[in-house]
Amino acid sequence: MKTGGSENFLIRCLCVLLIPLGAIAHKNGAPCARCPRNAHCTNASSCRCDPGFTSLSGKVIFSTSSEVCTDINECGPPLYMSCGSLAHCHNVEGSYYCECAPGHELLSGGTKFQSEKENTCQDVDECSSGKHQCHNTTHCINVKGSYKCYCHHDWVARSRPLHGLNFTICEEVSFPSWTSPSGVNSQSLSRFFDKVQQLSQDFKPALAKNTIQDLMQEVDELLETPGDLETLAPSEQHCVATHLLVGLEDVLRVLSKLLPNGPLTAHAPAGTGPSVVGLVSTPGISKLLAEAPLVLDSKQQTVLREHRDFLAGGSPVLLSDVVSAFVSNKDTQNLGSPVTFIFSHHLVTPGPTQKVFCVFWEHSQDGCGHWSTTGCRMVATGDASTTCQCSHLSSFAVLMAHGHIQEDPVLAVITYVGLGLSLLCLLLAALTFLLCKAIQNTSTSLHLQLSICLFLAHLLFLTAIDQTKIKLLCTIIAGVLHYLYLASFTWMLLDGLHLFLTARNLTVVNYSSVSRLMKWLMFPVGYGVPAIIVAISAASRPSLYGTPTRCWLHTDKGFVWTFLGPVCTIFSINLAFFLMTFWIVKNKLSSLNRDVSTLQNTRMLTFKATAQLLILGCTWCLGVLQVGAAARIMAYLFTIINSLQGAFIFLVYCLLSQQVREQYGKWFRGVRKAKAEPENYTLSSGTVSDASKHSAAPDFCLPSSLSKYPKSGTYPCHQPLLGIG
């Protein structure tokens, strides 16, 4: 069979194409192993990494296709290929190259070469060769490996972006124009600006520091002795203050660029030129800013409207010096991150009628201005310092705005009428619990102590809550109120416990054990626990008893929670007692005959538990809920219900009690009969004396018919049922 040369040529071509891929053929025609990337075959079963690569296993020859060939870093350890001086080594995949350092080039004009032997790197003079990028306002000076652009004498550098690059340009600095404001007739101001003009004429950039010092001295002298400036109208004084603040800031912004590195200079990143930062305090200017108006931003106006308790009254008072902050860049109205200022000021403790603001002096179109809070917020304030954050730069200060508390007259009337009625009802209830022996038991003892505590608390609240003139007296009043109201809630807790234990023992004749337990707990817990809480609170923060407007607990540092904490705890526990009592009574009702008298007692027990929970528990939660849109409604509910606590106690535990009503009826009938037949009750002195021996205390309870008993003055009373009374 004849074979043409073209066939042999085709076979050779295929082999040449396949050998670089390490696929199926060897250069001498033998089969070739399948090799990984960056490797070639050496025979039918072995591979080897290409030059510039090495295997992960470290083997020169390998036979597995899973082997990996990685690049050798000729510029790093352990090889460290040397490129010679003024050059750097650069690694690339499978190889490397050398390059002259910045500011240098090869004699041939190129920059890349392969080995140290080829290194001919030398300095490049960018200035003489025209390869620099200095602006025409500067001159170029060659340095080793680079060049620098310098401003001409008495010029200053600033950075300007050009095509995405920053390079330095220079500008000539001269004293800014600053003249007297038009329309203001003042000899003191005219003399000041005459001195400013003299400083401008004598200005030399090399003496910028001296010029700034002289200028600040002139400003201080003007503000220390304002002369006829004090006779100007307030609106004109505000215009002068605005002109001084703005002009001084502009002059210092320009002149400070000529200062050497120091407190007023901060360097920006390399290549962008210097940036000037200045802080100027002008304490004397507060004389010209008296009665300046304060304009609140919309957010703070909304907050004050929601509180409804602060109305702006009079002009705000400066607490700190006026500090002007500026940088070389005038565009500082919307900073990327806020600037924090810490102002020191004289000791002050703002009250509810005073509010501290972080403000700046905002210039108006007419050349005057006003205090504004836009872009500034108060981070924290103490007795002698205030921390502010502002999103722009200007002239800042801390001031206190005075207002007055806007009291709701309707709430005031409800409070006084309700508490007055409660005092009367609490007094009648306490007398009933104390003198009516027919209902005296553990339950009435608890109610008696609760009534006494509430009576004293309400009486002190009505008569002394506003006695803030004497600090020590106000502190004592706040402490006593704290104790009395905590004691009231503690007696409520004991009453809730007693109701639960009574309900639990309805099915068991074990009431004596309940009475013994409550008598053992009553007084140590009822009066001892509140005393411990108040003692700890007073020892830890005595200064927080009493506020500038009320003799009550201060809200700072969460001190009011020394009252709200125990109250919320007691309410939660009593709620648990109520649920358990309700469950027990419900089960009891299902097992009793409705004609049995015990049923009436269990119903009364449930009613009283529910009433007491609403009267002395849930109502105080309304005070915590006085937020948002429903704050006013909650305030009215809180005031109405809590001011009538005494009336509710008298209604529930006296007027709605059948035994008490019977005793009231007997007493009234006895009084009427005594008035109608005075002769039937004429007693001899001896009889009265004998009667007084039988009864050491007055007896408030009377029998149903006085004619059934002898005229001895002593009458029996009905006994309570199941201690419910």
Side-chain angles (χ1 to χ4, degrees), residues 45 53 132 166 300 305 314 356 364 420 430 432 525 563 632 716 721:
S45 60
F53 295 89
H132 65 84
N166 285 329
Q300 288 178 325
R305 281 198 300 268
V356 175
S364 55
T432 301
V525 175
F563 174 71
R632 179 171 291 273
L721 296 176

Side-chain angles (χ1 to χ4, degrees), residues 289-365:
L289 297 176
E291 301 182 7
L294 169 64
V295 178
L296 301 178
D297 60 18
S298 57
K299 182 178 180 181
Q300 288 178 325
Q301 289 178 0
T302 302
V303 171
L304 293 180
R305 281 198 300 268
E306 288 180 355
H307 281 79
R308 302 185 314 278
D309 58 355
F310 184 88
L311 295 178
S315 301
V317 177
L318 275 174
L319 299 182
S320 68
D321 296 340
V322 179
V323 177
S324 299
F326 62 89
V327 295
S328 52
N329 182 9
K330 288 189 175 182
D331 186 16
T332 59
Q333 294 306 307
N334 294 290
L335 301 177
S337 57
V339 180
T340 301
F341 300 91
I342 301 178
F343 291 90
S344 297
H345 49 72
H346 59 274
L347 294 176
V348 63
T349 303
T353 60
Q354 300 167 324
K355 191 171 182 64
V356 175
F357 292 97
C358 294
V359 298
F360 75 99
W361 186 255
E362 186 172 18
H363 315 142
S364 55
Q365 295 180 353

